[in-house]
Amino acid sequence: MVEDFEVAISQGQLAGAVSHVLAKPLPFFNSTPLHIAVVGEPGSGKSSFINAMLGLRADDPQVILWDHPRRGTPTFGEDKFEKVDLNHFDFFIIVGSQRFRSTHSDLVREIQDMGKSFYFVRTKADLDLSAAKRQQPSDYNEKKVLLHIQEDCKECLVREGVRDPQVFIVSNWEADCFDFPLLQETLKNDLLRLKRQAFLLRFPSICLAYEYHHWEHFPIFGFLLSGGISLLRTYFMLQKCISGAVDDTQRVLAKALEAEGEKSI
């Protein structure tokens, strides 16, 4: 099937390739690895969150969790992320504590531009509840506090153009409380669909990188050389062209998957 998909893409038959993949039953993609990047600002609890999720990994060795190496540096009072390529990952879990930050907005936009999906996980629920209890002991209501946190996160995500955002409120030290069980169950239920999405979005770059090594597919190459443009400059021009084609193909595939998901609801 992989070879058929590559041939179809190289011949410009994207719709046919997508239909061929979508016709396969979801269990077909069970062996497809899913690389999940856990991203968030420093101190949000990414590492302890991954440790708490290790039980899920034991159930599915084809799920690979990555503590994404973004590091925050203070800029005008805000934590800013270093620019690191996210294209290597299939799915994302954005981890945040306290308020929704501009760095989260940046991540959401970047992930959506790639046509990929994410969950938003609000950590340190136990600390939020303790603070709320201290501030308003007479009016303290755990459910109301948690609901307010969740609704606030959803509002911020909707403002970034996210439809039906998936938000989970957790405590990394109490993995059986709050939304942690729901998060694990949701990921298990979404797993095969996400693996199918990963399969589709992974192959355009492989096919187009393959085309890159066949210079005869780029008739402009000889013209550029004869015109005296350096090989190095030509290399980067072609690389940029291919990168744009990959992005365009991924966006088409993401839209096809999005439409398929809406049809199945």
Side-chain angles (χ1 to χ4, degrees):
M1 180 171 130
V2 171
E3 291 178 359
D4 293 341
F5 187 77
E6 290 180 348
V7 170
I9 292 247
S10 67
Q11 294 176 349
Q13 300 172 358
L14 183 58
V18 172
S19 298
H20 183 66
V21 173
L22 294 178
K24 292 289 183 183
L26 284 176
F28 178 86
F29 302 95
N30 189 53
S31 60
T32 301
L34 186 71
H35 294 267
I36 302 177
V38 180
V39 293
E41 77 271 22
S44 60
K46 288 185 301 174
S47 298
S48 53
F49 171 80
I50 289 176
N51 290 335
M53 289 288 286
L54 287 177
L56 182 62
R57 274 192 68 189
D59 294 337
D60 193 322
Q62 294 298 324
V63 172
I64 306 159
L65 293 170
W66 295 86
D67 189 345
H68 195 271
R70 287 188 171 217
R71 297 185 296 275
T73 55
T75 306
F76 301 111
E78 292 289 338
D79 290 328
K80 297 296 181 183
F81 289 133
E82 288 183 354
K83 190 72 173 177
V84 180
D85 188 11
L86 296 178
N87 280 291
H88 304 300
F89 305 101
D90 306 311
F91 183 70
F92 301 86
I93 296 177
I94 302 176
V95 176
S97 60
Q98 300 179 343
R99 63 187 177 86
F100 193 91
R101 298 173 182 269
S102 60
T103 48
H104 301 138
S105 298
D106 294 341
L107 278 169
V108 169
R109 286 193 289 269
E110 191 173 349
I111 291 168
Q112 290 194 124
D113 285 346
M114 292 187 293
K116 298 182 181 180
S117 307
F118 69 92
Y119 297 155
F120 187 86
V121 173
R122 178 67 149 70
T123 58
K124 304 184 180 181
D126 51 331
L127 299 182
D128 289 321
L129 291 174
S130 297
K133 196 170 186 178
R134 286 195 306 271
Q135 292 166 7
Q136 295 179 314
S138 60
D139 194 37
Y140 174 75
N141 183 302
E142 180 177 303
K143 288 185 179 180
K144 280 180 63 176
V145 174
L146 294 175
L147 182 61
H148 174 74
I149 294 171
Q150 187 173 62
E151 290 302 316
D152 181 65
C153 292
K154 285 185 176 181
E155 281 182 24
C156 293
L157 291 169
V158 168
R159 283 200 295 269
E160 297 300 330
V162 182
R163 293 188 303 171
D164 301 320
Q166 296 266 42
V167 176
F168 303 91
I169 313 300
V170 306
S171 167
N172 294 333
W173 310 113
E174 301 177 64
D176 57 342
C177 298
F178 308 114
D179 287 340
F180 227 121
L182 177 62
L183 168 62
Q184 291 188 328
E185 189 63 29
T186 302
L187 183 55
K188 286 180 182 179
N189 291 337
D190 288 345
L191 205 53
L192 292 178
R193 179 182 60 80
L194 292 173
K195 287 186 173 190
R196 180 178 66 180
Q197 183 184 58
F199 178 92
L200 277 169
L201 295 181
R202 200 172 290 153
F203 279 99
S205 57
I206 293 176
C207 297
L208 289 166
Y210 173 80
E211 291 293 315
Y212 176 78
H213 291 290
H214 291 71
W215 297 108
E216 63 270 18
H217 289 279
F218 295 93
I220 197 173
F221 178 68
F223 173 77
L224 290 171
L225 286 181
S226 64
I229 297 178
S230 72
L231 177 62
L232 183 62
R233 183 177 174 187
T234 303
Y235 172 89
F236 284 114
M237 288 176 68
L238 290 174
Q239 190 177 54
K240 184 176 180 180
C241 174
I242 290 172
S243 177
V246 170
D247 291 342
D248 290 343
T249 305
Q250 286 183 327
R251 289 190 188 98
V252 172
L253 290 171
K255 285 294 181 185
L257 286 167
E258 184 179 303
E260 179 70 15
E262 290 174 353
K263 190 165 58 178
S264 62
I265 292 175

